[in-house]
Amino acid sequence: MKLTKLQAARLFSVLVCLAAAKYWDFRLTWMWLGVTVIFFGPFFCGWTCPFGTVSRLAHEIGKRFWPGLQLHLPTKCEKYLPAVKYFILLLVAVGSLSEAYGVIPTGLWQKFTALEQPVKIIFGLPLALWAANFYCRYLCWHKAQYNLFGIVSPSSIRVDKSRCVGCGACVRACPMGNKLPERGLVSRDCVMCMQCLEACPVPGKAVHFTIFNRVVNPLIAGLMYLGSYLLLLYALKSSL
């Protein structure tokens, strides 16, 4: 991953969102994060989530220093493993509802879900050195949730097949393992890092960020997301 203007803006967005959350001591709930996904697509994963950002940086380190140890899963595993995060999301939903209705003691489920952060750091980051975004791709129930919200989002990464030369540069650049030319459209299992756009060697690009099927400058879209996220964070904090 080269530190281009777009990638620098993405890293800046992550730092600003993290600083704002710390300063206001407030974070958006899953429902409000879902609203941002509906409007912008899964920008949260690529432009706000600190773990996802560190995970991608860890993989860049792994590729540089241990290129021969990079893990390439069999095609069947690549196909079915992403379903695990939806199963975890289901468990989270059942556990939360069970606690809300008194089926399990109050506070028990929160203690269990509090283990998520240590698991991500202890297992997720080391795995990222040898398998790109392993935790985000296969285990992150938040990503599963955002993917479901993304079903109704007008925002997507789209491949212009009339211009695509089939070089595979976008596929190699994608940290989520999306097969862009085959699908032509990616709106869900994506983190909006825009590395596929930057990797495309075609003059004028064959890979685009689109909203309602209209091509939008990804840097402008990212800055719009950042502004909207901060405004929403401030408005909800002020309303308390």
Side-chain angles (χ1 to χ4, degrees):
M1 181 180 70
K2 296 180 179 179
L3 191 60
T4 61
K5 183 189 297 184
L6 184 58
Q7 295 305 320
R10 189 170 63 80
L11 293 174
F12 172 76
S13 174
V14 172
L15 293 173
V16 169
C17 291
L18 187 61
K22 290 287 185 182
Y23 178 75
W24 286 319
D25 192 24
F26 185 75
R27 286 171 175 77
L28 297 184
T29 63
W30 65 271
M31 182 181 70
W32 288 109
L33 288 174
V35 170
T36 69
V37 174
I38 290 172
F39 280 95
F40 292 98
F43 265 82
F44 175 83
C45 299
W47 292 68
T48 304
C49 179
F51 177 81
T53 302
V54 174
S55 178
R56 284 187 290 280
L57 292 175
H59 184 61
E60 293 298 323
I61 293 172
K63 285 196 300 182
R64 182 177 180 85
F65 293 102
W66 303 286
L69 297 178
Q70 295 304 299
L71 179 64
H72 300 285
L73 297 176
T75 304
K76 283 191 175 181
C77 289
E78 290 276 2
K79 182 178 180 180
Y80 296 112
L81 265 181
V84 174
K85 62 178 177 280
Y86 293 96
F87 177 70
I88 296 173
L89 174 62
L90 178 62
L91 289 180
V92 170
V94 170
S96 299
L97 289 173
S98 297
E99 185 174 85
Y101 287 96
V103 178
I104 59 177
T106 302
L108 179 62
W109 186 245
Q110 279 84 351
K111 290 179 181 179
F112 179 76
T113 54
L115 296 173
E116 180 189 12
Q117 291 299 330
V119 167
K120 288 199 298 188
I121 294 171
I122 296 171
F123 297 104
L125 286 182
L127 273 172
L129 290 168
W130 298 286
N133 281 37
F134 188 93
Y135 186 89
C136 303
R137 292 169 70 179
Y138 307 125
L139 303 175
C140 182
W141 62 270
H142 301 285
K143 185 71 183 88
Q145 173 186 299
Y146 303 147
N147 285 351
L148 295 177
F149 279 109
I151 293 174
V152 295
S153 174
S155 302
S156 63
I157 299 294
R158 188 177 294 270
V159 177
D160 184 345
K161 293 190 175 183
S162 66
R163 297 176 60 82
C164 179
V165 297
C167 66
C170 57
V171 176
R172 292 190 295 273
C174 180
M176 296 296 286
N178 284 309
K179 305 296 188 284
L180 280 85
E182 294 176 19
R183 297 175 64 181
L185 174 72
V186 179
S187 60
R188 279 172 278 172
D189 219 2
C190 171
V191 293
M192 292 298 176
C193 65
M194 309 297 177
Q195 289 176 220
C196 55
L197 278 71
E198 296 184 308
C200 181
V202 177
K205 303 295 182 182
V207 186
H208 305 283
F209 173 72
T210 64
I211 300 178
F212 290 112
N213 299 328
R214 295 176 66 101
V215 176
V216 177
N217 185 308
L219 180 58
I220 293 175
L223 294 176
M224 287 176 59
Y225 163 78
L226 175 60
S228 300
Y229 180 90
L230 294 176
L231 281 174
L232 188 56
L233 194 68
Y234 177 74
L236 293 173
K237 172 64 176 177
S238 300
S239 67
L240 296 178

